Amino acid sequence: MESSIATLSDASVNGEVHTPSSQHSVPSIRSRDSKILTSGAGSILHSKTQPWKGGLRPFLEDSILAFNKFILYENRMRFYIVASNTSDSRHKIIKIDRSSQDEVGVVEDETTYSGKQMSAMLKMLDDGNKGCGGLGRPRVFFGIVGFVRFSAGWYMVAISKRSVVALLGGHYIYHCEDTDLIPISPTHRIDKPAEEQRLMNLFKQVDLSKNFYFRRSRHHAGARYLKRGVNDEGNVANEVETEQIVSETITTPFYYPGSREDIVEDRRRRPSPNFTSYVQYRGSIPIYWTQELNSMSPKPPIEISVMDPFYTPASRHFDSLFQRYGAPVMILNLIKKREPVPRESKLLEEYTQCVEYLNQFLPRDKKMVYRAWDMSRAYKEKTQDVISYLEDLAEESIQLTGFFHSGPEPYSHFLRNEVEADATGVSIPWRGTMSIQNGVCRINCVDCLDRTNAAQFVFGKRALGHQLYALGVVDSPNLAFDSDAVNMLTEMYHDHGDTLAMQYTGSALVNRVETYRRMPHWNSHSRDIIENFRRFYTNSLLDADKQAAINFFLGIQNDRTISHPVIRGGYRDWFNPAHLEPVFRLDECQENIQQFMQARGNFWVEYYRPLLFTSLGKHFVYCMNSTLKLPGKTSADINYSPFLPSHPVHRHQPRLMDGVRRWIGSSPASNRHSKRTESRQDPESGTSEAEHDPVYQYSTEVIATRLMDPIVTPDERAEYQEYIDQCMELLDAPPNGAERKDRKVYGAAIATGLGEGGITMDPEVVDKDFVTFVERPLDATGRRDNLPITFNYEKWIAGIS
């Protein structure tokens, strides 16, 4: 049994977005002429074109082509795959040999053909393969995921159905909806059909049609309790990179046309300053730890399986982060600090020691920024505002790492800064170049799901404010939570978190953003119980099969297998000094983007197609599971900004504490009642028209107004005043009897010194100030017995019965 497949785990399914060079390479299959054919992301990328050697003349100007549509022709001997770009103006052809069952032979023609040339080529191939059945019926598909082998023979995994989920710079991003397994050899002999079917069913358990375009690492992948911590190579479980792209779509492409002031020969495209991006990272704690699910406990104990004093896997992990994202790296650790039975707190101590040990060898300006905060305890004890604290951490992280912006700040910021500088004397610098992100914030909890997703939402919300401010959409990076834009972002992170939770635990998120904002839905408690049961059932009964399917899909024979020998320079020099340098330099990024504008800005080829009927929904595409909170459902949403807080009267119910604060800080109840009554009365009839309307009397507005402005009767006010007076008398009374005795002795001594009398102390004499009146409370019948009870506190303190 072997599995060799070029997966999409680290790439988006679209026509032109490919895996970055900083990531690990995607597996591939070598063809017979020793040329590597990369199959993944639904496209084929070519970096150069071979010289023309006769026959049909190639298009030498097409140095880089991206194909997103494929047509399969087949006969008994070969597969012919015609790859075409979006406008069907450029084509290439690939030949796959079907004569052998043990190997896959792939040959790619280096020539680029036009539409007429490709038609002539297909006619020639059809005539030349008459003995094998010609080319056969064409079959359209949209990408090659890879090639897989079970017990006998190879299969090609092809994307048969796709859907548009986004539009970025005039380029569509697609989602894989369905795949097909196409056998390579027509004489597919299966010696063990039962084993072949079992392995095929195991392979199909990894559903490529469900959110496979999310970018989730294929390294150390698996189910919740079966993949924890870190492996020997430094890859952690549940490792996810989240990129938040915000663009302004008044102009669609990635570029502006050249300036009119430039000479025609030197006129070049300019990068559009309307694109921004912010990257976050989540992953399990990079130490050796496990949770054995060998009992019926929903929360198995956490065990640190290997104690490494030099934290070798963690050092490889953080060195990889430096290589991919640069410095600084901010670590936000959200696991629990205090527990009745230590579980997560074990990881907190070990993780803290790990970061402190590794940090001591880094240069001072490159040290990792470590923040450990018990988010769960802060929420339960209500000692801190969870969202506000996370927003402060998010601002700190954004100031450390920055974010990507493809152009300078709007010039309006420069003018506003000048006005503020003249008024306050404080000069704010204006950024006249593009902005880049160097470094990343690494967020984790024990599962990297619920708490991590809420924290990443807050970071994303803070980054969204900076991104919109950099685009000139808003006047301040401080966005209100009660706004349509933030509500939309909340739903997007809910979809993102639910997808990752389903892949890792088998259930959706349990604690959502509303939970930590203390705004839970009315059915949130029952939903959380159901999701917890679903997680327990999945982890107990289904995770073993899921892990076997993932391992088979990725071609993993043994979980402890190391693909290449690990080389370590030393325990002190655990990092590569070159990785501490900035990954992105401003001058290099500007040059690379300029080259992309000139060579790859195929906006007119892919997006602007006037002869093709295109629906409006395809031009403004989005893919979200829940759109209930999005604006646009009423006419009032049309003229209301989605970046401003919603109107509290028409959009939301009043908050309880806000109403209490208004009531406490307002005038006395009697005045409020009289003013409210006067305002309701009609000058002539004494009553308003609204009071006669029964529907208005039971409306939410009237009920809320009455609750926020209660009417207190004189008897209730007098009773409440009694309690207040009694409390004030107790506060004014001396703290104990000894001080009262001392005061009496001191007064008598002064009188004796003045010749006014001797010292006489009678402890049995009780002053009226020391007799407390206690009123009996209401009995069960509601009557009050005002029988006074006297109690000699002086005797009680002195111990006299």
Side-chain angles (χ1 to χ4, degrees):
M1 179 186 70
E2 59 179 310
S3 172
S4 177
I5 185 166
T7 66
L8 301 177
S9 303
D10 291 334
S12 300
V13 182
N14 60 77
E16 299 194 34
V17 179
H18 304 275
T19 305
S21 58
S22 60
Q23 300 293 324
H24 298 280
S25 60
V26 180
S28 58
I29 297 179
R30 186 174 300 273
S31 62
R32 287 183 175 178
D33 54 357
S34 299
K35 183 181 183 300
I36 294 179
L37 168 66
T38 302
S39 300
S43 63
I44 304 174
L45 180 65
H46 302 275
S47 60
K48 63 180 180 179
T49 303
Q50 297 294 333
W52 177 56
K53 299 180 180 179
L56 298 176
R57 182 175 295 276
F59 293 89
L60 297 177
E61 66 274 11
D62 296 330
S63 58
I64 298 179
L65 287 175
F67 303 104
N68 62 1
K69 185 175 69 174
F70 304 86
I71 300 178
L72 175 65
Y73 299 91
E74 61 177 300
N75 54 34
R76 293 190 300 271
M77 299 300 296
R78 296 176 186 86
F79 278 152
Y80 293 98
I81 299 176
V82 177
S84 307
N85 61 353
T86 306
S87 61
D88 289 331
S89 60
R90 300 292 183 267
H91 308 271
K92 279 186 175 291
I93 191 166
I94 303 169
K95 182 176 66 175
I96 300 177
D97 188 12
R98 306 184 67 188
S99 60
S100 176
Q101 187 174 346
D102 299 328
E103 62 179 357
V104 179
V106 181
V107 178
E108 178 187 357
D109 188 357
E110 295 292 345
T111 307
T112 303
Y113 302 91
S114 67
K116 293 183 179 179
Q117 292 171 343
M118 180 53 67
S119 298
M121 173 61 71
L122 292 177
K123 183 66 170 60
M124 293 170 54
L125 291 175
D126 186 55
D127 295 338
N129 289 273
K130 289 295 185 182
C132 302
L135 292 182
R137 181 178 298 178
R139 180 177 184 176
V140 179
F141 64 99
F142 303 100
I144 301 175
V145 180
F147 297 85
V148 62
R149 176 187 174 98
F150 302 122
S151 62
W154 287 87
Y155 295 84
M156 182 174 67
V157 185
I159 299 174
S160 59
K161 187 182 296 185
R162 67 181 181 183
S163 62
V164 180
V165 294
L167 178 68
L168 185 62
H171 302 271
Y172 293 106
I173 299 177
Y174 299 95
H175 172 224
C176 172
E177 294 289 342
D178 195 10
T179 58
D180 290 336
L181 278 176
I182 304 174
I184 299 296
S185 177
T187 59
H188 200 82
R189 298 190 308 273
I190 302 175
D191 299 331
K192 301 177 180 178
E195 180 69 11
E196 181 81 3
Q197 188 62 41
R198 185 188 71 84
L199 294 176
M200 185 177 294
N201 294 336
L202 189 65
F203 178 82
K204 290 182 178 179
Q205 287 187 20
V206 180
D207 193 354
L208 301 181
S209 64
K210 291 185 178 179
N211 304 305
F212 202 56
Y213 65 97
F214 280 101
R215 185 158 178 186
R216 188 165 181 256
S217 176
R218 68 183 185 274
H219 308 286
H220 203 52
R224 182 187 185 186
Y225 290 130
L226 301 178
K227 288 292 182 179
R228 290 294 209 187
V230 66
N231 62 6
D232 295 335
E233 296 179 313
N235 301 312
V236 295
N238 203 18
E239 181 182 8
V240 182
E241 177 190 281
T242 303
E243 183 175 9
Q244 177 176 304
I245 301 175
V246 180
S247 62
E248 211 229 302
T249 57
I250 292 180
T251 57
T252 304
F254 285 119
Y255 60 88
Y256 281 166
S259 176
R260 294 182 178 180
E261 300 176 356
D262 298 338
I263 306 175
V264 178
E265 290 78 7
D266 297 336
R267 187 172 296 175
R268 306 176 66 188
R269 296 169 177 172
R270 297 172 296 161
S272 172
N274 296 333
F275 295 89
T276 62
S277 170
Y278 179 70
V279 176
Q280 303 182 70
Y281 178 92
R282 74 171 74 183
S284 186
I285 296 176
I287 58 178
Y288 289 119
W289 63 282
T290 58
Q291 277 184 287
E292 297 294 336
L293 193 63
N294 52 8
S295 63
M296 295 302 294
S297 173
K299 292 184 178 181
I302 294 176
E303 301 293 338
I304 301 177
S305 55
V306 178
M307 301 295 294
D308 183 5
F310 303 105
Y311 302 101
T312 305
S315 66
R316 299 193 185 104
H317 171 72
F318 288 116
D319 187 48
S320 175
L321 292 184
F322 284 131
Q323 180 185 10
R324 284 183 278 173
Y325 305 107
V329 171
M330 182 176 180
I331 303 170
L332 179 56
N333 186 13
L334 301 176
I335 61 177
K336 297 178 182 179
K337 184 178 181 180
R338 289 184 294 174
E339 299 172 291
V341 178
R343 291 181 62 256
E344 298 183 18
S345 55
K346 299 178 182 179
L347 300 176
L348 175 64
E349 298 175 0
E350 190 70 14
Y351 194 21
T352 304
Q353 294 177 7
C354 169
V355 176
E356 291 176 352
Y357 172 80
L358 297 177
N359 247 353
Q360 63 181 335
F361 305 116
L362 289 172
R364 183 177 298 274
D365 58 337
K366 304 295 183 181
K367 291 184 182 297
M368 296 178 288
V369 181
Y370 181 70
R371 298 285 184 270
W373 181 53
D374 191 344
M375 179 177 174
S376 178
R377 190 176 187 87
Y379 166 73
K380 292 179 180 179
E381 294 186 350
K382 303 180 181 180
T383 56
Q384 286 178 299
D385 186 352
V386 174
I387 301 298
S388 298
Y389 187 79
L390 287 174
E391 201 159 13
D392 294 339
L393 293 176
E395 181 64 26
E396 178 187 3
S397 174
I398 295 173
Q399 295 299 327
L400 285 174
T401 64
F403 63 96
F404 172 76
H405 181 208
S406 59
E409 287 186 77
Y411 192 71
S412 59
H413 292 182
F414 175 77
L415 300 178
R416 186 185 299 114
N417 294 343
E418 282 191 339
V419 174
E420 293 181 357
D422 295 338
T424 62
V426 179
S427 178
I428 302 176
W430 177 73
R431 177 173 54 82
T433 60
M434 64 182 299
S435 171
I436 54 179
Q437 178 178 351
N438 274 307
V440 73
C441 181
R442 186 194 194 279
I443 305 178
N444 72 269
C445 55
V446 66
D447 291 324
C448 299
L449 292 177
D450 300 339
R451 285 168 282 177
T452 299
N453 202 73
Q456 284 202 340
F457 158 73
V458 177
F459 276 64
K461 180 256 179 186
R462 191 64 188 173
L464 176 63
H466 283 279
Q467 290 172 291
L468 293 174
Y469 180 73
L471 295 174
V473 178
V474 297
D475 295 331
S476 171
N478 302 316
L479 294 180
F481 274 97
D482 187 20
S483 62
D484 293 330
V486 176
N487 289 335
M488 180 179 66
L489 186 72
T490 305
E491 295 301 322
M492 293 176 67
Y493 272 90
H494 282 171
D495 292 348
H496 185 50
D498 286 341
T499 302
L500 299 177
M502 288 296 295
Q503 292 178 359
Y504 194 53
T505 66
S507 72
L509 292 174
V510 175
N511 296 317
R512 295 173 175 262
V513 176
E514 287 86 355
T515 304
Y516 296 101
R517 290 183 62 189
R518 305 190 186 280
M519 298 173 58
H521 196 263
W522 62 271
N523 65 345
S524 61
H525 184 65
S526 59
R527 183 188 59 82
D528 293 348
I529 294 176
I530 294 174
E531 295 300 335
N532 278 320
F533 274 114
R534 185 176 298 171
R535 282 190 182 183
F536 177 70
Y537 171 78
T538 303
N539 300 151
S540 302
L541 303 177
L542 305 180
D543 275 359
D545 294 337
K546 181 194 293 186
Q547 187 65 54
I550 293 175
N551 290 344
F552 180 71
F553 181 84
L554 298 177
I556 298 175
Q557 302 289 338
N558 187 354
D559 289 347
R560 302 292 296 179
T561 300
I562 300 178
S563 59
H564 55 82
V566 178
I567 301 176
R568 183 184 177 97
Y571 294 106
R572 294 176 58 89
D573 301 330
W574 58 267
F575 58 91
N576 188 340
H579 296 167
L580 299 181
E581 299 297 326
V583 176
F584 304 103
R585 300 183 183 274
L586 183 60
D587 52 350
E588 295 178 358
C589 289
Q590 289 178 336
E591 181 180 358
N592 293 335
I593 288 180
Q594 188 64 45
Q595 292 178 359
F596 177 84
M597 296 300 109
Q598 307 304 321
R600 296 290 305 279
N602 300 326
F603 161 71
W604 300 106
V605 175
E606 182 174 358
Y607 182 75
Y608 186 74
R609 304 179 66 185
L611 300 180
L612 177 67
F613 174 77
T614 306
S615 63
L616 189 63
K618 189 175 181 181
H619 284 276
F620 300 94
V621 293
Y622 64 89
C623 180
M624 295 180 62
N625 293 334
S626 175
T627 58
L628 296 178
K629 296 183 180 180
L630 295 186
K633 297 180 177 61
T634 62
S635 58
D637 296 333
I638 298 177
N639 298 323
Y640 197 82
S641 173
F643 308 108
L644 297 178
S646 303
H647 199 279
V649 176
H650 302 286
R651 307 286 291 219
H652 295 279
Q653 297 180 359
R655 294 183 180 179
L656 177 60
M657 294 307 299
D658 294 342
V660 172
R661 294 189 184 98
R662 289 196 302 269
W663 176 60
I664 293 176
S666 59
S667 57
S670 58
N671 296 336
R672 293 197 309 273
H673 176 56
S674 60
K675 292 180 180 179
R676 184 181 65 186
T677 305
E678 293 175 0
S679 63
R680 291 178 181 175
Q681 291 180 350
D682 188 23
E684 297 181 358
S685 62
T687 59
S688 63
E689 297 179 359
E691 292 183 354
H692 297 288
D693 187 2
V695 178
Y696 177 77
Q697 293 294 325
Y698 295 100
S699 63
T700 306
E701 179 182 359
V702 173
I703 295 175
T705 305
R706 290 175 180 173
L707 292 176
M708 294 296 102
D709 191 10
I711 300 175
V712 183
T713 62
D715 294 339
E716 292 175 344
R717 193 182 306 113
E719 180 182 6
Y720 184 73
Q721 190 64 38
E722 292 178 5
Y723 289 107
I724 297 297
D725 295 340
Q726 181 182 10
C727 180
M728 297 304 296
E729 290 176 0
L730 292 176
L731 292 177
D732 294 338
N736 52 52
E739 294 185 357
R740 293 194 293 269
K741 288 183 178 181
D742 294 341
R743 188 170 64 250
K744 293 179 65 175
V745 172
Y746 180 72
I750 293 178
T752 303
L754 295 177
E756 297 178 357
I759 300 177
T760 58
M761 294 294 296
D762 186 5
E764 299 296 330
V765 178
V766 180
D767 295 337
K768 294 182 179 181
D769 296 338
F770 304 141
V771 178
T772 303
F773 174 80
V774 180
E775 185 179 52
R776 290 191 178 185
L778 292 174
D779 57 8
T781 61
R783 294 182 293 103
R784 188 185 299 277
D785 188 4
N786 293 328
L787 179 64
I789 298 176
T790 59
F791 184 79
N792 195 331
Y793 285 94
E794 194 72 23
K795 287 185 178 181
W796 181 74
I797 292 175
I800 301 175
S801 59

